[in-house]
Amino acid sequence: MMTSSVQIQEQSEVHDFLDSVGRNSEKTKKLYGFSLLHFQEFLSNDDRYSKFTANSIIKPVSKNQINVYSLIDHFVSYLVSKHNHKLSPNSISLYVAAIRSYLLYHDIDIVASKFKRRVKLPKKQKEDEEALDAADIRKILLSCNNRRLKAYLLTLASGGMRAIEAIAIRNSDVSFETQPTKIHIRADYAKTRVARDIYISDESTKFLKEWLDFKYRDKMKGVILEKSPNDLVFGKRNQSGNINFIYQKLWYEFTKILEVIKMD
């Protein structure tokens, strides 16, 4: 039986590590916690390490009683064999990077050259990538009839921000009074954790205003309701949280457009 997320985080060495990681990124904390769950399951199911936990294995590894490179290499083999190649090479690399970080946090030295020589990671499959050109972007936008999604896509294309940065925009972050329209990106959602201001085009401003008027309309009275400053621009009315849910909804609507225009 796989150790639960709560059980793994109750282990002192794991708790301290995840607490440290979480100060800068809650998302990274979740990823590393998930990686440690796999690591704990690996230890429990491997006869060589079954008496250890993610917590207790730190001491013998730090004393060289267990070779750190062999340990990680066995973990890689476990991930590949258990999931029968369902895990992508990228996912396996992420899990291994998390375990390396966990061991390094507890002062266990891992020499990069030795790691490369002793630990064999699955080769990442390389695919040719092709950048979107102006014609592609125009085709996507012309095919979009969803008010919210169109305003979102134009804001992304015009402002050059990241997907989550745009979804986290509140009404109070948008300044229609400036020319061009200014949008404040909060430090909490910026990848660099540094707040900044960006500007969007007049066309983006037009569709953004249309979306907000549509969202805050009162059908019965035929008026525009007052906008709460903390409402998320691309969320529902009076929605100030659950950013991941908004992302999933917009992603779903976007994939439907790509399917229609044969760009999925």
Side-chain angles (χ1 to χ4, degrees), residues 231-242:
D231 281 5
L232 293 170
V233 168
F234 296 107
K236 295 180 180 179
R237 194 188 305 169
N238 299 320
Q239 184 176 0
S240 58
N242 207 349

Side-chain angles (χ1 to χ4, degrees), residues 151 154-155 158 174-183 199-212:
L154 279 163
T155 301
S158 177
V174 182
S175 178
F176 290 117
E177 293 74 26
T178 63
Q179 183 64 32
T181 297
K182 181 173 71 174
I183 296 178
Y199 297 86
I200 60 174
S201 67
D202 292 342
E203 183 183 19
S204 301
T205 298
K206 173 180 176 292
F207 282 96
L208 190 56
K209 285 182 175 179
E210 287 181 1
W211 155 244
L212 290 172

